[in-house]
Amino acid sequence: MKKFTVHTGTGVPLRRSNVDTDQIIPAVYLKRVTRTGFADGLFSAWRNDPEFVLNNPAFAGGTVLVAGTDFGTGSSREHAVWALQDHGFAAVIAPRFGDIFRGNSLKGGLLPVQLPIDAVETLWKLIEHDPTTQITVDLVEREVRADGRSWSFELDDFTRWRLLEGLDDIGLTLRHEADIAAYESSRPSFKPSIATT
Amino acid sequence: MGRTLAEKIWDAHVVRSAEGEPDLLYIDLHLVHEVTSPQAFDGLRAAGRKVRRPDLTLATEDHNTPTDNLVTIADPVSRTQLETLRRNAVEFGVPLHSLGAAEQGIVHVIGPQLGATQPGMTIVCGDSHTSTHGAFGSIAFGIGTSEVEHVLATQTLPQTKPRTMAVTVTGALRPGVTAKDLILALITQVGTGGGQGHIVEYRGEAIRDLSMEGRMTICNMSIEWGARAGMVAPDETTFAYLKGRPNAPAGADWDAAVEYWRGLATDEDAVFDTEVTIDAGAVEPFVTWGTNPGQGAPLSGTVPVPESFADEAARTAAERALSYMDLTAGTKLRDVEVDVVFLGSCTNGRLEDLRAAAEVISGRRVAEGVRMLVVPGSAKVRAAAEAEGLHEVFTAAGAEWRFAGCSMCLGMNPDVLTPGQRSASTSNRNFEGRQGRGGRTHLVSPAVAAATAVAGHLAAPADL
């Protein structure tokens, strides 16, 4: 995974709440077996609307998506994270995230930043007033900065360290292989197992 | 202090715990399907890793499969995805129930049906409706593809312990009111983010009275109000359902298992982080009018006026939803006419659901101009329904009797709504375009689906 330390870029104001992962990328794009190439599916239904924010040239090149509450609810599809990253987003700021989407983002290095609704509202106004506003998402300081203001956000130390170092979870877990083997040796015999051929 | 059901199961699966790190949890069962697994298997190949426990892994084909035949997958991209799963299953030794196999079906229908879903387990799948399996008193939750790869490689997951929540359903459901109505009413009460960060235990008399199928419907939709997982304590209903199933314990193992399962119930002095109460006696047949599962109302009600929502975000969302749904505030929900009725999905595609709908539709006809699809949740459900003659009830009424799969729940296979079409659907999501681009979805129970098919507009069996 690519390291995430400090990112600075322009923002895209998505003034919508309850943006479920079916909107981020509809199921029809999930038939692919690759891990990249999902940018064309990003918000594909909404992009048919010329008024949709991603169709506004003023916000082209934005790398920080600022959305309403309950972003990424619904389906577990990690393709939603891949589509946002393929489009160029490095971070998403919202008042609340769907749990699975948030977890998937942290696995893939797309930083989900939870800020209160009034901070999000301020960021929306800043970006809409001046689309070239630079937004800094600083994981080292756990802080978002824009227009001379700053807002701190929470992320647990372990996840922060993993992102700062760009570490792969599987590699980290396999350091504890002996613990896994020890646990397995004591599992009750009534636990189900599936016949393999 | 006592522990909750969730805490007992969590504690029993901690492989490693360290200060300042997530717990490393052992996973008892990993369910796999074609959509969220190909990139995970690719990851294993690239790193030279194997599947650690193929014997704790179970794969099926469901999302892309056609339901009009068992042979031809017309879309080449869907075909490639299914063929990729088949190749991966062979290469990594993972058991797979393919299209046409006796045990094939929706991943959340076949686990319980095989008896592979049991109390006290940790169960994951690259699918948000994995919460279904919590109905047996297990911790079951959806994961993304990176985590699928992690479980394949290590049979564990690093997880931060969620908070616990009790949803106590007091009283009893009234006749004609079902588990689906109850969960839809609950989601409207608490909102789509109400359960965020929590494992929820559904408790109370009305939950105890539910069949395993009803409990699965409730737990299935836990994710629709943001909960990490939903669960019901195992009891005699659970044990009776499991006994004798292919993967259930037998002989001395059965006795040992039941003894262990009985001890899992939440201790009397355990404390939940959050508590919610809902009165079952007040729940009526319930439907959604909007574009998220929290936008619902009793069938006897009307399409709400957006201005009636105090919260600005809720008001804006309601305005947007009415526009997408082409509904006018104040319209009686019973006056909303539908084009398609979909009976099926991991929420309501089990035998009990088909029976409930068949009872309503028996001797009646699907209304002129309405298309009704009946899609069993698994090949076994289909066979069992046919053994009872349910397929004849449906086809005599003019409904389509299909093969098993996810079908019209998610717009990924040939079963889709066309733009502007309106459905009454027993599935779990009414998101914009969920059942096909431009499609409009009203979530309903199987009984309401059947009555709606007959009436041609949203209706309860009592209206016929």
Side-chain angles (χ1 to χ4, degrees), chain B residues 293-310:
Chain B
Q295 292 177 322
L299 174 63
S300 61
T302 55
V303 175
V305 180
E307 288 72 30
S308 67
F309 294 95

Side-chain angles (χ1 to χ4, degrees), chain A residues 16 18 22-23 30-31 34-35 44 46 74 78 97 99 104 173 176-177 183-184 187 189 194, chain B residues 12 16 26 28 39 52 55 75 81 144-146 150 192 196-197 247 253 320 412 429 432 434 437:
Chain A
R16 290 188 192 187
N18 274 299
D22 271 81
Q23 305 316 313
L30 273 47
K31 298 179 184 184
T34 56
R35 205 171 182 123
S44 73
W46 291 351
E78 198 163 323
F97 292 92
D99 279 335
N104 289 342
T173 295
H176 308 299
E177 205 278 331
Y183 182 92
E184 284 180 328
R187 292 177 76 235
S189 64
I194 311 296
Chain B
R16 179 180 176 275
Y26 199 78
D28 288 322
Q39 299 87 352
R52 182 179 179 91
D55 60 328
D75 179 353
Q81 195 165 62
T145 297
S146 294
H150 193 285
T192 54
Q196 203 242 8
N247 283 292
D253 269 350
R320 198 183 147 75
M412 189 161 188
R429 289 186 175 138
E432 291 180 26
R434 171 76 179 183
R437 184 162 291 189

Side-chain angles (χ1 to χ4, degrees), chain B residues 82-421:
Chain B
L82 290 163
E83 286 168 352
T84 302
L85 177 62
R86 291 169 195 176
R87 275 199 310 276
N88 285 329
V90 171
E91 182 181 340
F92 290 93
V94 169
L96 167 67
H97 298 297
S98 278
L99 184 63
E103 294 288 358
Q104 179 265 344
I106 306 176
V107 66
H108 309 308
V109 176
I110 69 167
Q113 178 180 287
L114 287 163
T117 299
Q118 297 172 15
M121 290 174 68
T122 48
I123 301 174
V124 298
C125 173
D127 191 286
S128 60
H129 293 111
T130 309
S131 56
T132 311
H133 306 264
F136 290 79
S138 58
I139 293 181
F141 55 93
I143 57 178
T145 297
S146 294
E147 291 174 314
V148 169
E149 184 180 339
H150 193 285
V151 178
L152 289 172
T154 70
Q155 204 58 34
T156 65
L157 263 188
Q159 286 285 303
T160 305
K161 203 174 187 172
R163 294 186 293 280
T164 58
M165 184 190 294
V167 170
T168 304
V169 188
T170 57
L173 291 171
R174 291 188 285 181
V177 180
T178 68
K180 183 64 166 289
D181 302 307
L182 174 59
I183 189 66
L184 288 174
L186 174 72
I187 298 170
T188 291
Q189 179 180 317
V190 295
T192 54
Q196 203 242 8
H198 289 82
I199 295 184
V200 174
E201 182 181 337
Y202 300 97
R203 300 152 62 87
E205 185 193 336
I207 299 295
R208 296 260 72 87
D209 288 347
L210 290 175
S211 64
M212 287 315 297
E213 287 82 355
R215 294 177 189 182
M216 283 189 257
T217 300
I218 300 274
C219 289
N220 172 275
M221 291 192 72
S222 300
I223 184 68
E224 308 312 335
W225 57 289
R228 196 77 184 94
M231 61 203 314
V232 175
D235 60 10
E236 298 306 322
T237 304
T238 321
F239 309 149
Y241 178 98
L242 278 171
K243 190 155 193 183
R245 291 188 183 264
N247 283 292
D253 269 350
W254 172 262
D255 298 333
V258 171
E259 192 188 336
Y260 173 66
W261 297 342
R262 285 190 201 283
L264 290 172
T266 294
D267 296 326
E268 293 219 351
D269 57 342
V271 177
F272 291 90
D273 295 312
T274 313
E275 300 221 29
V276 170
T277 301
I278 180 167
D279 175 12
V283 177
E284 299 177 43
F286 215 85
V287 302
T288 62
W289 50 264
T291 54
N292 72 56
Q295 292 177 322
L299 174 63
S300 61
T302 55
V303 175
V305 180
E307 288 72 30
S308 67
F309 294 95
D311 177 62
E312 190 192 331
R315 195 160 55 238
T316 312
E319 279 166 7
R320 198 183 147 75
L322 293 195
S323 163
Y324 181 86
M325 294 293 289
D326 192 27
L327 290 173
T328 307
T331 305
K332 284 183 183 154
L333 286 163
R334 279 195 165 90
D335 289 343
V336 175
E337 295 184 351
V338 305
D339 306 297
V340 175
V341 172
F342 170 57
L343 174 62
S345 85
C346 59
T347 312
N348 282 126
R350 287 169 287 267
L351 185 58
E352 180 180 286
D353 302 312
L354 302 189
R355 283 178 182 156
E359 192 185 321
V360 174
I361 216 161
S362 178
R364 297 186 164 113
R365 291 285 304 171
V366 173
E368 190 73 27
V370 174
R371 178 187 184 204
M372 182 181 188
L373 289 90
V374 183
V375 186
S378 71
K380 275 276 160 72
V381 168
R382 180 180 152 98
E386 290 187 346
E388 295 181 11
L390 299 187
H391 61 310
E392 285 162 357
V393 172
F394 289 118
T395 51
E400 299 173 28
W401 179 244
R402 316 279 290 198
F403 292 98
C406 296
S407 184
M408 201 182 267
C409 176
L410 87 164
M412 189 161 188
N413 53 65
D415 303 341
V416 288
L417 294 179
T418 56
Q421 271 192 329

